[in-house]
Each structure stands twice: as C-alpha cells, then as structure tokens.
Amino acid sequence: MPVEEFVAGWISGAVGLVLGHPFDTVKVRLQTQTTYRGIADCMVRIYRHESLLGFFKGMSFPIASIAVVNSVLFGVYSNTLLLLTATSHQERRLQTPSYMHIFLAGCTGGFLQAYCLAPFDLIKVRLQNQTEPRAQLGSPRPRYLGPMHCAASIFREEGPRGLFRGAWTLTLRDTPTVGIYFITYEGLCHQYTPEGQNPSSATVLVAGGFAGIASWVAATPLDVIKSRMQMDGLRRKVYRGVLDCMVSSVRQEGLGVFFRGLTINSARAFPVNAVTFLSYEYLLRWWG
Ligand SMILES: CN(C)C(=N)NCCC[C@H](N)C(=O)O
C-alpha cells in the first residue's frame, strides 16, 4: 500500500487548516449563535472582545488530529482508486479513472475520515463557541480551559458516547460531499491539462479551490445541523435527533437556516483547498 499519499495528505491538510481556521471560527459562531448580525459584525465582535487570538480558538486539537484525519482522507481515496482501477497516482494521469470510480473512492475516504474527525471536530466547535476573552484576573472563567479539559469534561458530563455527539450527521455530511470534492478536482484538472501531462500549479490551485467551494456548498445544510447537534447537550438537551434538529431549526428560523455560514464557508474553502491540493500534488511529485 503506497504510504506517500497518507503523508502528503497530512502535510497538505495542516497547511490548509492554519490558513482557514479564522474563517471557520466565524462560520461556527454564525451557525450556532443567533446574536450576530452577519459576517462583519461577528468578526468585529470577536476582535473587540477576544482579540486576534479569538479567531484561533480550538485550533490546537485539529492541528494535532490533522495527521490522522487528512492522511485517512487522501490515503483511503488514493488506495481505493488503486483497488478499483489498478492504477497508481502517476499512472492515473495517462489513464483517467471514470467519474463513478472517483466518486466511490471519494465517498469511501469521506466516510472513514468522518469517524476519525468526529471527537476532534466536536471539541473544536465547543471551544470556538466560547466567547469569553483569554483568562484575566476577575474575568469570567470559560467553561472549558483547553482541549484536554474540554475532552475530559465531555467524557465526565456526557459519557464516552458524548465524545461522538454529531458523528452521525458528520458522516452524512462528508460521505457524498467528499465524492463531489474529488470529482470536481479531478474533472477540472483533466479538462485543463494536455493528455498525459501533470496539471500545472495554476490548474491545481483553481481546481482545488473550486473543489472546496463545490463540496462545501453541498455540505453547508448538514454542516449547520452537525454544529447544532454538537452544541446540544451542553446545558440541556434540546433535540431528539438529527431530524428533530432540522425540523425545529426550520420552524424557528425558516429554510434560510440551511445556508447559514455559506458565504464564509465558500470564502474559506477556496484558499484552503487550493493550497491543500497544491502541496499534496507537489509532495507526491517530489517523492516520485
Ligand atoms: C465538504 N467537505 C466535508 C470536504 N470537502 N471535505 C474534504 C476536506 C476539506 C478540507 N479539509 C476543508 O476543510 O475544506
């Protein structure tokens, strides 16, 4: 089993993650809190009350977990394609796999990464939603003091299953949309690259960026529900399940609720996935 794809997936994911985390914090706040009037209001209030550091809340765990999550995503994708088409990453440039095979391999990668991602994503979302400024003498103490404290508190207060709160919605979100992610990427690269050649850096950047936007546009409705399910149970349990969360969110806020955070999600998705795919392709070419 080629391991290069796993390592390339890890490094490229970390580059994208640091770049996109501030956007991600704004998105999570907009999806789960109703006090902000829009992207600009949310950014200004985070900056005023929590300083620049407020945008980076909850980043340490995703950085630590990206090694597992992104290497599973890219490693499983590439190795599933190898299984389905008997071609390596390099050979696939000469012999493009069918879109059905790319979609199936993407869905497999998305499904498996969702389970690795679930507890880390939950802790990230809980920390991003803490609006308290950094601990100062006399200021209110946030509920969670850091990622380890957050994990231990969830385990103690909500049981071991609590760490997988929202995992089912995350799987529903990621399985088809990661299929869309890879189809868009491979499709655009194929379209704009002469037969048998490697895509240019510009092509990889644009194809990666649009793959991010297309997949996140499709993922946003379930992303909102996932974030709400993850915040549920913090004080008291509000939703009886995924369907109940969807129905009560629509009843209270209208259909527009499914598009909360869409603009910021798309603005984040382009640069994050452009650099993710660029570093992924370059690392694989470098390792030959
Ligand atoms: C729509 N979804 C769930 C995806 N396209 N997932 C693939 C990885 C995305 C990248 N790490 C990012 O954070 O944008």
Side-chain angles (χ1 to χ4, degrees):
M1 178 190 287
V3 290
E4 290 90 341
E5 277 91 347
F6 286 94
V7 182
W10 162 31
I11 300 175
S12 58
V15 176
L17 190 132
V18 177
L19 190 72
H21 197 80
F23 296 94
D24 194 66
T25 302
V26 176
K27 176 205 81 175
V28 167
R29 296 264 179 112
L30 289 173
Q31 288 180 336
T32 55
Q33 302 185 21
T34 43
T35 53
Y36 298 111
R37 271 173 290 131
I39 298 174
D41 179 47
C42 181
M43 287 174 120
V44 170
R45 282 165 64 184
I46 294 179
Y47 182 71
R48 279 214 188 118
H49 299 300
E50 303 160 54
S51 81
L52 260 187
L53 291 174
F55 292 97
F56 291 92
K57 278 188 179 162
M59 197 177 74
S60 54
F61 244 36
I63 286 279
S65 65
I66 198 80
V68 181
V69 175
N70 238 46
S71 63
V72 166
L73 175 66
F74 282 89
V76 170
Y77 166 72
S78 198
N79 283 285
T80 308
L81 263 186
L82 176 67
L83 218 80
L84 291 171
T85 62
T87 52
S88 69
H89 182 78
Q90 263 319 318
E91 289 162 347
R92 273 180 236 132
R93 291 288 169 231
L94 298 168
Q95 222 180 312
T96 318
S98 72
Y99 286 120
M100 184 47 110
H101 282 150
I102 295 173
F103 185 68
L104 285 177
C107 291
T108 314
F111 178 81
L112 290 174
Q113 69 114 39
Y115 268 88
C116 308
L117 177 66
F120 299 107
D121 191 63
L122 170 71
I123 290 160
K124 173 189 79 78
V125 168
R126 293 269 175 109
L127 292 174
Q128 283 176 316
N129 263 313
Q130 299 202 123
T131 51
E132 292 84 359
R134 264 168 84 80
Q136 279 163 2
L137 221 62
S139 63
R141 210 177 89 126
R143 184 185 184 101
Y144 304 123
L145 302 177
M148 291 311 283
H149 181 246
C150 179
S153 312
I154 297 174
F155 189 86
R156 201 178 44 247
E157 292 160 12
E158 301 167 47
R161 286 186 56 193
L163 284 170
F164 284 85
R165 197 176 287 285
W168 171 229
T169 330
L170 187 66
T171 313
L172 285 179
R173 184 197 79 177
D174 284 8
T175 307
T177 57
V178 173
I180 296 174
Y181 181 62
F182 283 109
I183 281 214
T184 314
Y185 175 71
E186 300 288 357
L188 287 174
C189 281
H190 182 69
Q191 189 76 28
Y192 295 104
T193 307
E195 205 61 36
Q197 286 185 24
N198 280 320
S200 67
S201 306
T203 305
V204 170
L205 281 171
V206 173
F210 278 109
I213 293 188
S215 61
W216 277 109
V217 166
T220 298
L222 277 169
D223 191 46
V224 177
I225 302 302
K226 182 241 10 143
S227 301
R228 291 182 173 208
M229 295 296 293
Q230 287 173 324
M231 289 308 289
D232 199 32
L234 194 58
R235 280 176 188 88
R236 63 187 180 89
K237 236 173 144 312
V238 178
Y239 307 119
R240 271 173 284 131
V242 182
L243 208 64
D244 184 43
C245 177
M246 284 180 169
V247 172
S248 47
S249 298
V250 172
R251 272 208 194 117
Q252 284 165 21
E253 295 157 65
L255 274 175
V257 74
F258 288 128
F259 303 100
R260 280 263 184 109
L262 181 68
T263 315
I264 189 94
N265 231 353
S266 310
R268 171 195 163 279
F270 193 94
V272 166
N273 291 290
V275 300
T276 298
F277 274 107
L278 189 71
S279 36
Y280 175 73
E281 290 282 352
Y282 270 87
L283 285 166
L284 285 183
R285 278 181 219 172
W286 187 39
W287 288 325

